[in-house]
Amino acid sequence: MKSTVKLINHASAKINVDGVSIVSDPWYDGSVFHKGWKLIYELTTEETKKHLEKTDYIYVSHEHPDHFSPGFFFNKDYRAILEKNKTKILFQETKDKRVYNFLIKNGYEVIEVPNKKYITLKNNVKIKIIKFGYIDSALIIKGSKDKILNLNDCPLNDIGEIKRFKKEHGVFDLLLTQFSYAAWKGNEDNKEYRQNAASEKLETIINQYNILECKNVIPFASFIYFSNKLNKFMNDEINKPHLFQDSLKSKINTIILAPGEEQYISELVQNRDSLEFWKNKYDLINNLPLDTFDKSIDFDTLKNQYSKYKNKIMELNSKFLIYFSSKIKFLQFFQPINIFLLDHKKNYEFSLIDGFKETNDNKYDISMHSESLSFIFKNDFGYDTLTVNGCFNATKEGFIKSTRTFAIGSLNSMGLKVNFGLILNFNLILFFLKLLKKVSKKL
């Protein structure tokens, strides 16, 4: 039986190996990242239902909403098909078990896959999940003839890291990997940052392909546009399949699929109609609908939300370490942040130590809408969402300060706390500092 691959949409592909079908990251419609992203092409309910037929497993790579979409799992039509198929969900083992508990609570059968260990599915098909960074994961599917790597948007970028990955996990027949940038890349005037980010993403694909000795690569997991009036400028340098395919094709075996297109993995060829499909979609990107933040959150409400946010942070984490770190100013952890709220047309000073208050200082570290600040106060993952949707402006120093303060919420959302035990998680600390240093250099 020949293995097949079918693109459904964005980071969702259906891999069929030895009669076992695995669908990845089902997000097919709607806005995500707090009014920040939408799909270039949305599926209809009927299209989605058709793709879900004969699905044995669904792999969810990580908790970001373009990969784990709660709305998909709540949908009664999709749920009925998955129940009929007895579809099981594959997810990485995590400390917080939030995704696992959500799925179990809603009646799904979940297989928690231990990090870097093969488990056997139906028909002796083997899979392995590899954790990356904070929350990401990649999937290896190993059948009797084919070995597939789904990297989605895992940060496997540096040549040294790719070589270490190869040493540990081997080579692959097929690679599926992200093809464009997917987070804030500077303010509107920093066009060069976005140009470099787009070029680096294509260079990464070439390095992944060559080092991992892949026979073919399918670029995916980037079929989105920045869909807010505050972040639409981010679309100016995104990689477009119909434009980069020819240059990549001269260096590696790369195939762009259209939604619903299915091919044999051993016989992959580029369909020119697929490139034309995406060309037509990307040519109209400036005409696609944009979201707005249309509800201004008043200062008193924000102050009340801040108080709850601070109390939660102080309860979960070591107050001593927060205060101590804030005194070592050159580290820039937990420093006061001057925030300009666009809809208020005012500056406010935020500090975990000294409170949240209006200020007459007209220089800001970061600017955003009050809805975004409210979202940060109400959600542990709020700042992480902001850095992905790019609905803000920041100075270089302001971005570093903001990240080294608000990132505590992201840590807490993963079940980690700022305490003396965190020191033992040295790799996580290094990963965070390395990412921040990389962004800082480019700013």
Side-chain angles (χ1 to χ4, degrees), residues 158-378:
D158 296 342
I159 288 176
E161 292 173 342
I162 302 171
K163 287 181 177 178
R164 287 190 291 274
F165 186 91
K166 175 186 176 181
K167 187 175 181 180
E168 187 171 1
H169 304 292
V171 300
F172 300 91
D173 296 294
L174 177 64
L175 166 68
L176 296 94
T177 189
Q178 184 184 52
F179 66 79
S180 193
Y181 58 79
W184 182 71
K185 301 298 177 189
N187 299 333
E188 186 168 1
D189 60 357
N190 202 338
K191 195 180 185 77
E192 185 178 357
Y193 183 6
R194 292 187 290 282
Q195 289 172 340
N196 291 337
S199 296
E200 287 173 6
K201 186 60 69 174
L202 298 183
E203 190 64 32
T204 293
I205 294 176
I206 294 170
N207 290 334
Q208 290 171 348
Y209 173 90
N210 286 327
I211 295 170
L212 299 176
E213 300 179 34
C214 304
K215 293 178 182 176
N216 291 289
V217 57
I218 294 176
F220 81 148
S222 297
F223 295 114
I224 62 97
Y225 70 102
F226 294 90
S227 60
N228 194 290
K229 287 188 176 180
L230 292 180
N231 69 7
K232 64 178 182 177
F233 69 89
M234 293 270 291
N235 294 315
D236 60 358
E237 297 299 330
I238 57 175
N239 286 324
K240 300 175 182 179
H242 64 286
L243 296 180
F244 71 70
Q245 170 65 348
D246 286 340
S247 62
L248 276 187
K249 195 69 178 175
S250 65
K251 301 173 184 177
I252 61 177
N253 294 328
T254 177
I255 296 92
I256 304 295
L257 298 179
E261 182 181 358
E262 186 172 24
Q263 293 195 34
Y264 292 119
I265 289 176
S266 60
E267 301 172 10
L268 284 166
V269 293
Q270 182 59 64
N271 185 335
R272 299 307 297 183
D273 288 342
S274 300
L275 292 177
E276 190 65 23
F277 172 87
W278 287 118
K279 179 184 183 303
N280 292 336
K281 297 301 177 185
Y282 278 87
D283 282 350
L284 296 173
I285 196 168
N286 292 326
N287 298 326
L288 293 174
L290 294 174
D291 286 318
T292 59
F293 296 121
D294 47 19
K295 181 182 179 183
S296 186
I297 313 299
D298 63 76
F299 174 66
D300 288 338
T301 301
L302 287 171
K303 197 167 183 178
N304 182 53
Q305 291 172 349
Y306 161 83
S307 296
K308 294 177 181 178
Y309 169 85
K310 178 181 177 179
N311 290 339
K312 184 178 179 182
I313 293 292
M314 292 304 184
E315 287 174 7
L316 287 173
N317 304 279
S318 167
K319 294 178 185 177
F320 171 78
L321 280 181
I322 291 174
Y323 279 96
F324 179 76
S325 300
S326 72
K327 299 301 179 184
I328 309 174
K329 298 194 184 301
F330 76 90
L331 292 177
Q332 295 185 305
F333 284 104
F334 309 118
Q335 296 300 301
I337 303 167
N338 195 327
I339 303 173
F340 180 73
L341 294 184
L342 298 167
D343 48 318
H344 288 206
K345 296 182 173 60
K346 288 183 180 180
N347 283 294
Y348 299 88
E349 183 181 275
F350 166 92
S351 169
L352 274 175
I353 313 300
D354 299 320
F356 178 64
K357 56 195 175 187
E358 293 187 45
T359 177
N360 293 322
D361 189 347
N362 59 6
K363 293 182 179 180
Y364 66 81
D365 296 308
I366 187 169
S367 69
M368 67 185 78
H369 194 278
S370 63
E371 275 195 45
S372 293
L373 184 58
S374 174
F375 192 82
I376 291 172
F377 288 157
K378 291 193 292 185

